[in-house]
Amino acid sequence: FGIYVLLIVSVTLSPATAAAQSENDATREDVYPPLWDLAPENLLDFPVKDNKIVINPWNYLQRLGMYKILLNSSIKYFTTFGSQNFGNILWGLPLQHGWQFRTGRLADPSHVTSCGYEDGDLLCISVRSWWSCMNYYLAAIPFLGAVEAGLFGQLQYEVEILPPEEKTDAFCYSVADCRSRIPKLMDDWKAYFEVNNSKSSATFFSFTLDDALHFMWRAHVASIAYALPKFHDSLKYLSDPEANFGEDWANGVDFIAATHFSTDFLTTNNFQAFLPQRMLVEGDVLPFISEFSPQQNRVLLALRALHKANQLTG
């Protein structure tokens, strides 16, 4: 059954389809995360205070900037996998973050604050958002793992991540802090960046895209597995269909990871075209959401079925 569902997803989201797209498509502004050009490009674009580079991951542009810096700093390891860094498998992270922002999933779902809304602070990322909290473990933790692995070389300053206004105990904020709280997860992300760094050493010829995908997906899955129980209570702010989709998506990533799905620029963009382009609301019934394409309905239904099968079989 699981193989059947994966076939539906993989046929719909075939990497071959993405590969068939001209790289000229990548010049279109809408295939980049929203406001990509405005995001910080290097570490010193962030403020320095008390000899620390201070990053606010509760601002969309600053969190996006962490991804942009990771991409810029790892470009040399992916030159053989496509021009303009399009073959870099880290593209999946900022593109997913951009999809979350574009579809309103980073805004305050409780509507207690105006965080993330046009009539408030549009660039604000709400700590009440299940999506934003889950994404923290796929943004700040990879970034700090890269710092620890030496991706950015010897830094003049320490890196400090700012806490949110609430739920501060749910996150860690520096290499030392995260190393003490979540050593295994830090090890996983550090290992990913170290396998890339090995390309510049004597093991140059051992680097393959599949190696990188293995370590990246292992860390990705570990981040979600760690964060999922931690933020289960945040699902209460979402409609039942959206909460179900969130859990279905988290479950589905395990299966996508097992295929070593390539999260390069073109493939990820092709993939995300089949994700819901708005929040799900009460009354949305799969696979009959009229605003969604047949492919979007199919993917949502496949993820739901896969999650239910996992629950039924333990």
Side-chain angles (χ1 to χ4, degrees):
F1 178 80
I3 292 174
Y4 169 71
V5 173
L6 275 174
L7 280 172
I8 295 174
V9 177
S10 62
V11 168
T12 305
L13 310 176
S14 168
T17 309
Q21 295 177 355
S22 167
E23 286 195 353
N24 290 334
D25 287 349
T27 61
R28 295 192 353 247
E29 188 176 332
D30 62 335
V31 296
Y32 287 89
L35 307 177
W36 180 249
D37 288 342
L38 300 181
E41 297 188 356
N42 62 68
L43 277 169
L44 292 180
D45 287 340
F46 294 111
V48 175
K49 185 177 180 181
D50 298 329
N51 283 324
K52 292 181 179 178
I53 295 168
V54 180
I55 302 173
N56 178 12
W58 308 101
N59 172 277
Y60 169 71
L61 284 180
Q62 293 206 26
R63 194 180 288 198
L64 190 63
M66 288 195 284
Y67 290 131
K68 197 171 188 179
I69 292 164
L70 284 176
L71 279 163
N72 289 343
S73 300
S74 57
I75 187 171
K76 59 188 173 183
Y77 307 120
F78 291 92
T79 53
T80 58
F81 304 113
S83 64
Q84 302 181 63
N85 207 22
F86 291 151
N88 195 322
I89 60 173
L90 287 178
W91 272 112
L93 297 175
L95 287 168
Q96 179 76 176
H97 184 49
W99 166 78
Q100 292 168 354
F101 175 77
R102 186 185 291 116
T103 57
R105 288 179 164 87
L106 302 178
D108 181 356
S110 71
H111 293 277
V112 169
T113 70
S114 59
C115 179
Y117 295 100
E118 288 190 18
D119 60 351
D121 182 356
L122 182 61
L123 298 180
C124 174
I125 294 178
S126 175
V127 73
R128 296 189 175 205
S129 159
W130 178 85
W131 290 96
S132 81
C133 291
M134 294 292 293
N135 179 259
Y136 186 94
Y137 281 85
L138 290 167
I141 310 308
F143 192 82
L144 293 172
V147 171
E148 191 176 29
L151 183 69
F152 310 126
Q154 286 293 109
L155 295 180
Q156 183 180 356
Y157 306 106
E158 288 183 44
V159 174
E160 180 179 356
I161 309 292
L162 292 181
E165 293 182 356
E166 54 184 282
K167 296 185 181 177
T168 55
D169 290 343
F171 309 97
C172 58
Y173 305 103
S174 67
V175 170
D177 185 25
C178 295
R179 169 59 54 193
S180 67
R181 291 206 222 179
I182 47 172
K184 176 64 171 64
L185 191 51
M186 286 291 284
D187 282 343
D188 285 340
W189 280 108
K190 185 182 177 188
Y192 168 72
F193 290 107
E194 284 178 341
V195 77
N196 290 346
N197 276 326
S198 72
K199 190 179 179 185
S200 61
S201 69
T203 56
F204 177 93
F205 293 106
S206 69
F207 177 90
T208 68
L209 187 59
D210 199 60
D211 287 339
L213 286 166
H214 165 75
F215 284 98
M216 187 277 293
W217 277 119
R218 186 178 72 176
H220 192 120
V221 167
S223 281
I224 290 178
Y226 179 81
L228 201 53
K230 187 177 283 289
F231 300 113
H232 186 266
D233 286 351
S234 297
L235 292 168
K236 68 186 177 188
Y237 296 121
L238 301 176
S239 69
D240 287 344
E242 179 70 14
N244 287 336
F245 167 58
E247 292 191 295
D248 294 345
W249 176 237
N251 173 81
V253 168
D254 276 353
F255 293 87
I256 295 169
T259 70
H260 284 193
F261 184 84
S262 182
T263 44
D264 60 75
F265 184 86
L266 293 174
T267 308
T268 303
N269 265 304
N270 184 64
F271 173 88
Q272 291 197 155
F274 301 104
L275 294 180
Q277 300 305 307
R278 65 159 171 82
M279 300 272 281
L280 274 64
V281 297
E282 301 298 347
D284 283 337
V285 179
L286 300 177
F288 307 110
I289 304 176
S290 59
E291 298 168 60
F292 292 177
S293 69
Q295 294 95 334
Q296 287 170 335
N297 273 290
R298 275 204 300 274
V299 167
L300 288 172
L301 185 64
L303 290 170
R304 174 97 287 240
L306 190 58
H307 191 191
K308 283 189 173 180
N310 249 12
Q311 290 174 318
L312 288 171
T313 60

